[in-house]
Amino acid sequence: MTGTHTVRMARPAARAGAYAAMAGIVLALAATFLPWEQAGVRRSDFWHLGASPGLSGDHGVYLLAAAMTLILSVWALSYFAWRGTVGKAAWASGLFVGAALLYGADLRVYTDLAASAHGLGEVVAAVGITALLAGSTLGLAARIAES
């Protein structure tokens, strides 16, 4: 394969990774407004989970998840500001690391909630973070092939 052929094939893959990452962050953001805890009549979305009795010991992890969601939203949108292979590779690397941190924090929050009270927000967040991880991996792999 010639170098030109590799670049032509890498760009659509990088773009597909970016779109998958964008869809993932949109799902992760949407999940924050869906109910995460449904205990009887009480429903709590992600932003109001801090008052949940199950999260009292892991309040720092909850705050990390909330901050990472907002940071990754801005970082995902920064894709359109980066130019060149090195910039896009840095974008994909940062997105992957942030998504992995968000996944770990969300998993910890998930385990702190009562098993009988899990809501739809957790499922949507898991799908979104998985798309975010897959998209950033595809974007990074395509950028590495390009260089």
Side-chain angles (χ1 to χ4, degrees):
M1 268 193 186
T2 66
T4 307
H5 185 66
T6 304
V7 170
R8 280 190 209 142
M9 291 179 66
R11 285 194 180 137
R15 206 170 296 124
Y19 290 139
M22 297 292 178
I25 198 61
V26 166
L27 283 174
L29 268 175
T32 63
F33 297 103
L34 295 172
W36 276 57
E37 183 179 38
Q38 296 179 349
V41 233
R42 184 179 154 200
R43 287 182 161 191
S44 294
D45 61 8
F46 182 79
W47 302 111
H48 297 98
L49 277 180
S52 176
L55 291 178
S56 59
D58 285 330
H59 198 67
V61 175
Y62 164 72
L63 291 176
L64 172 71
M68 285 306 298
T69 302
L70 297 174
I71 290 168
L72 284 176
S73 301
V74 172
W75 189 258
L77 289 175
S78 71
Y79 171 80
F80 299 105
W82 291 89
R83 298 287 179 236
T85 303
V86 175
K88 299 283 183 164
W91 172 83
S93 300
L95 197 60
F96 181 82
V97 169
L101 280 171
L102 180 60
Y103 182 72
D106 279 352
L107 202 59
R108 182 68 187 162
V109 168
Y110 172 81
T111 58
D112 285 345
L113 297 175
S116 61
H118 292 258
L120 179 65
E122 295 171 306
V123 175
V124 174
V127 170
I129 294 170
T130 302
L132 194 58
L133 286 167
S136 61
T137 302
L138 181 60
L140 184 59
R143 291 299 168 183
I144 289 171
E146 214 174 84
S147 28

